[in-house]
Amino acid sequence: MDDGRRGSGGGRALALIVVAVLGLAGFLGYRGELPGWPLFTGPGTAIAPMPPAPAPPLDRAAVAAAVEPAMVHISTATETFGQGAAGSGIVLTAEGQVLTSHHVVKGADTVTVTSVGTGQVWSATVLGYDSGVDIALLELPGAAGLTVARLGNSADVRLHDEVLAIGNAGGAGGTPTSITGNVTDLDSTIVALNSADLSRKALSGMLEIAAAVSSGQSGGALADWRGAIIGVITAASGEHDPEVDREPNGYAVPIDTAMRVVRQIRSGTPTDTVHIGPTATLGVLISDARPSGARIDVAIYGSPAHAAGLADGEVITSIDGRAITSARALRAAINVRKPDETVRLGVLGPGGVERTVTVVLGKGAPN
């Protein structure tokens, strides 16, 4: 499959996806009862709902001190092009399960994790991920006794709540950088640009905060006044632009959404969107074919597809008898496979000649 690792030369990117286009947010940006609308409890009885009490002021130093010991710095490397990335993560278990953004580990051949609290270093394993919501779960082999993050409930977040974004800004390691801001939307839809591989992705249901989130904070914590994690930092809208009077915003995956992905990964059952375990790959770059199928734009030299005789321009129309109607459908089908599995592909050649090709899937990077 397309593993997203295009590029040339060495380098180290800071993990962050930048909002390219803002889509529609949740209607009126409101969650909960409509203010001023009566709640009817019986005939002739109307009780106006009480507005939720405002959260107490956030003590930046106290919240940072509570959250930082349960955070990690993440550094990745890609063998093919010599590139890497830096990001952040949140410790979920004392035995070393770490929550982060999928784009932090996308395309990585190696993932190195450093505990903020103790300075210990591990070579991490990617347990699974859902690229559609930009969440990944890592495991630190041999870890024990780690400080675990306190998780909140993102369903309880309200507009204007003050929050703290904490992460490895600048990718420098050391003490994480924290910045305060207020929640400005509970259900943002964004189109984000991955600064590492220039891919674009639509993300919905995001928490928006009025804060200058910066590169390297991806996968970091969005915490409330109690020091509870209510989101996973994912994207930013860029720098302050005085010419258009635009203030920077940050975006985070709600913790409730992130933990649904974590539970699916822990169940061991993959879905069309949630990948579990090592990533299988065909080793092809693909696009939608017309009128149907997944067109092979490039069969990468030395890949399973290349070894099986698949050629540029051919169209994959089925996998193990299941019709493939688009590039997305092929990615979803490979998503639930494992390396070393054998698949039978229905292939349509440029001249309209149909054939069946047997391919042993290889091991790829998280894609």
Side-chain angles (χ1 to χ4, degrees):
M1 291 295 296
D2 179 356
D3 58 14
R5 295 180 293 166
R6 297 186 184 184
S8 63
R12 186 165 181 260
L14 298 179
L16 188 73
I17 47 181
V18 179
V19 175
V21 180
L22 289 181
L24 294 176
F27 183 65
L28 297 182
Y30 188 82
R31 170 175 287 173
E33 298 84 0
L34 293 175
W37 286 27
L39 174 65
F40 291 96
T41 59
T45 304
I47 302 175
M50 294 293 291
L58 185 148
D59 185 325
R60 176 174 175 171
V63 171
V67 174
E68 287 173 4
M71 295 194 65
V72 299
H73 299 316
I74 297 174
S75 178
T76 70
T78 301
E79 295 175 2
T80 305
F81 300 115
Q83 294 179 323
S88 308
I90 304 163
V91 178
L92 295 182
T93 70
E95 295 74 32
Q97 286 192 352
V98 171
L99 177 64
T100 189
S101 300
H102 166 259
H103 75 268
V104 171
V105 298
K106 179 182 179 183
D109 292 302
T110 61
V111 180
T112 303
V113 171
T114 303
S115 169
V116 171
T118 68
Q120 290 176 278
V121 179
W122 296 269
S123 179
T125 299
V126 179
L127 292 179
Y129 53 85
D130 186 334
S131 62
V133 295
D134 198 31
I135 288 296
L137 182 64
L138 311 182
E139 182 177 53
L140 312 181
L146 300 185
T147 300
V148 177
R150 176 185 179 187
L151 302 184
N153 184 345
S154 50
D156 294 336
V157 178
R158 295 289 183 263
L159 287 175
H160 312 303
D161 281 357
E162 190 176 15
V163 292
L164 189 70
I166 312 175
N168 183 20
T175 302
T177 299
S178 59
I179 183 169
T180 57
N182 294 97
V183 176
T184 51
D185 198 352
L186 302 170
D187 190 17
S188 282
T189 295
I190 61 176
V191 176
L193 175 68
N194 188 332
S195 58
D197 64 5
L198 302 183
S199 61
R200 295 175 183 267
K201 181 178 292 293
L203 298 169
S204 60
M206 308 290 286
L207 297 175
E208 180 186 79
I209 56 172
V213 171
S214 57
S215 296
Q217 288 186 310
S218 284
L222 187 67
D224 66 12
W225 66 275
R226 300 168 301 168
I229 311 302
I230 58 168
V232 181
I233 300 168
T234 293
S237 62
E239 304 292 334
H240 170 68
D241 190 343
E243 292 185 2
V244 296
D245 194 27
R246 184 188 68 192
E247 296 296 329
N249 289 319
Y251 298 87
V253 178
I255 195 63
D256 296 359
T257 300
M259 291 308 295
R260 281 197 293 271
V261 175
V262 169
R263 288 191 290 273
Q264 187 66 44
I265 294 170
R266 288 172 174 171
S267 77
T269 304
T271 70
D272 284 351
T273 60
V274 176
H275 179 85
I276 296 174
T279 302
T281 183
L282 277 172
V284 292
L285 304 179
I286 56 176
S287 60
D288 288 341
R290 296 290 181 268
S292 182
R295 183 184 186 277
I296 300 174
D297 297 319
V298 178
I300 299 170
Y301 181 81
S303 70
H306 183 267
L310 292 174
D312 301 354
E314 293 187 306
V315 175
I316 297 174
T317 58
S318 68
I319 180 169
D320 293 334
R322 173 184 170 186
I324 294 299
T325 58
S326 64
R328 180 177 180 179
L330 181 59
R331 292 188 183 99
I334 297 297
N335 187 59
V336 297
R337 265 66 173 191
K338 291 181 170 55
D340 297 325
E341 280 192 31
T342 300
V343 296
R344 291 172 58 83
L345 302 177
V347 179
L348 184 65
V353 178
E354 297 183 28
R355 63 192 180 109
T356 299
V357 179
T358 299
V359 183
V360 179
L361 298 175
K363 182 178 180 181
N367 55 35

